[in-house]
Amino acid sequence: MMKNYPEFKNVSVIVTGVASGIGRAQAEKFLLEGAFVFGGDINDNEAVKNLKRRFPQTFRFKLCDVTELEQVKQFADAALHFLGGCEILLNTAGILDAYKPTLETDEELWDKIMNTNLKSIFRLTNAVLPSMLKQSHGVIINMASIAGMVAGGGGAAYTAAKHAIIGYTKQLDYDYAKSGIRACSIAPGAINTPMNAADFAGDAHMARQVAEETPAGRWAKPEEVAELTLFLASPRADYIHGANVPIDGGWVEK
Ligand code: NAI
């Protein structure tokens, strides 16, 4: 296979949310380029088994609930041990909040969304960053959303968490750029993954409506977000610092 990014051969990558959608696509693309990938998820499924079968030497998986501090620490330790360090950290795991407005958001939902989507990124970053600083090199790509830029992409908790991810990523980059670290966030729009299965249920009326409201007139595949991730993580994007990059078919241009 022709490599698009030969510079990723033997590079070490950690990714959360690897069992589905965007995280799975990111892992696969890095593996196809010859990178070593350590993936985590609360779910160990057929997608994970498929990656293990196809990339027995370069892919490892560990169950990890990113809302549990101890599990995050153990996941990071295991990953750093297998990879011998980490050059690229992809914080991708996340969940939706059923588009609940604030009055329909109880404490439990708020905490679950904040812990899964936001605090998890803070925790895993803090667990991995020291090893990146030791090697004076590292790239961190955090999965935000158009819900991190405008209203309507989620409910109160999801939108707040995604806005916070974009802010956190900027500060992270600001504080560590001179130490060799680069951090960016990605803001996907309508990506066809299991997260949006409800939109495609029945006659897929919701999915069609979303496509119509998107200037590009369609949903994107998770592989398109993975493609952007590889570019942002590569040395070709070395001057792109703290940026939030939309990949949304024009959603936020409206
Ligand atoms: P997905 O539902 O296909 O995959 C998310 C993965 O995260 C699943 O494998 C799930 O098991 C895992 N996960 C959930 N909670 C976890 C936890 N506590 N610990 C460990 N793993 C956990 O969703 P998708 O679409 O791939 O989403 C990935 C990221 O992209 C999320 O952060 C999401 O908010 C973001 N995003 C997705 C968009 C879309 O349209 N699909 C649009 C904008 C952002």
Side-chain angles (χ1 to χ4, degrees):
M1 192 198 86
M2 245 261 292
K3 303 275 187 232
N4 293 319
Y5 287 91
E7 60 264 48
F8 285 141
K9 186 162 175 56
N10 294 335
V11 156
S12 48
V13 182
I14 297 177
V15 52
T16 65
V18 76
S20 179
I22 297 171
R24 195 211 63 81
Q26 290 173 318
E28 182 179 52
K29 271 207 195 291
F30 273 104
L31 287 163
L32 287 169
E33 297 292 343
F36 284 80
V37 175
F38 198 96
D41 205 293
I42 28 164
N43 200 5
D44 184 357
N45 59 11
E46 207 30 64
V48 171
K49 287 190 188 73
N50 179 280
L51 290 176
K52 280 187 193 160
R53 262 197 309 274
R54 290 162 59 209
F55 305 98
Q57 309 299 330
T58 49
F59 177 69
R60 289 290 184 283
F61 173 79
K62 187 173 165 62
L63 277 171
C64 173
D65 181 342
V66 295
T67 66
E68 295 291 331
L69 180 58
E70 271 320 302
Q71 289 190 38
V72 171
K73 284 183 176 166
Q74 284 172 19
F75 172 72
D77 285 349
L80 293 171
H81 181 74
F82 171 68
L83 299 167
C86 173
E87 281 152 295
I88 298 167
L89 168 61
L90 309 176
N91 283 307
T92 303
I95 52 170
L96 264 178
D97 64 352
Y99 298 87
K100 299 257 193 224
T102 191
L103 288 177
E104 291 166 37
T105 302
D106 57 19
E107 290 272 328
E108 198 187 340
L109 178 62
W110 179 268
D111 288 345
K112 186 168 185 207
I113 297 297
M114 286 295 164
N115 288 341
T116 309
N117 293 0
L118 178 62
K119 197 171 190 182
S120 60
I121 295 184
F122 154 72
R123 283 170 161 174
L124 186 57
T125 300
N126 278 4
V128 172
L129 187 56
S131 107
M132 288 180 161
L133 290 171
K134 243 184 249 160
Q135 68 205 12
S136 303
H137 171 70
V139 182
I140 301 172
I141 311 279
N142 295 328
M143 202 49 65
S145 165
I146 52 167
M149 307 173 73
V150 296
Y158 187 83
T159 301
K162 292 299 186 182
H163 272 72
I165 290 171
I166 293 173
Y168 173 79
T169 306
K170 288 180 190 167
Q171 193 65 42
L172 175 64
D173 188 89
Y174 182 86
D175 289 333
Y176 296 99
K178 292 214 166 52
S179 310
I181 307 300
R182 207 157 58 72
C184 289
S185 54
I186 294 178
I191 315 300
N192 187 351
T193 71
M195 178 180 268
N196 296 311
D199 290 355
F200 288 86
D203 65 355
H205 168 74
M206 270 303 289
R208 275 202 306 279
Q209 198 174 318
V210 169
E212 267 161 36
E213 283 174 29
T214 305
R218 67 170 180 92
W219 288 69
K221 294 196 205 55
E223 286 73 19
E224 297 178 70
V225 182
E227 195 61 48
L228 173 62
T229 309
L230 266 67
F231 171 70
L232 284 177
S234 78
R236 305 174 203 191
D238 194 53
Y239 206 54
I240 304 181
H241 274 262
N244 176 56
V245 184
I247 171 163
D248 65 350
W251 188 274
V252 298
E253 82 198 4
K254 291 188 288 182

